[in-house]
Amino acid sequence: MHLARQPDDLTSHTRRILIAWQLGDGDATYGALVDLFIVLAERGVGLKSAMLSQTALQLDPPQRRFLASHLASGVRADENVQPPASRSVLTRGLVGMTTPAL
């Protein structure tokens, strides 16, 4: 919850990613990466890329694709994250479509 209170703490984000990766917890790793991508937005492409590269084998292919497609833009907290990042502390939990179905 520290990161929910102090989201700009990049050291803690990096530490969280690496701990989840070392524990072999793919869902926690993905959630931590999504949070880093939210905080950095368009900035920090090098850090986002390095963290994704280091942890990529622990992520499911759809998770890797989602993050790789957001390296430059980052992720918005209110964005529809697919696949969902249940272990993220910064997403607003949007799941599904953001526009009404016709």
Side-chain angles (χ1 to χ4, degrees), residues 2-70:
H2 166 76
L3 290 173
R5 290 188 307 274
Q6 296 182 353
D8 293 330
D9 185 350
L10 296 180
T11 301
S12 291
H13 278 286
T14 303
R15 184 177 299 124
R16 179 177 167 222
I17 292 165
L18 294 176
I19 289 170
W21 173 70
Q22 288 173 340
L23 292 173
D25 189 336
D27 287 335
T29 301
Y30 178 59
L33 285 164
V34 168
D35 288 342
L36 178 69
F37 279 48
I38 289 171
V39 167
L40 290 175
E42 299 89 17
R43 302 169 291 136
V45 174
L47 177 59
K48 291 184 288 189
S49 180
M51 291 290 96
L52 179 55
S53 292
Q54 183 163 349
T55 60
L57 293 178
Q58 200 170 80
L59 303 174
D60 293 334
Q63 294 171 331
R64 285 194 301 269
R65 282 192 298 274
F66 177 80
L67 293 171
S69 71
H70 287 81

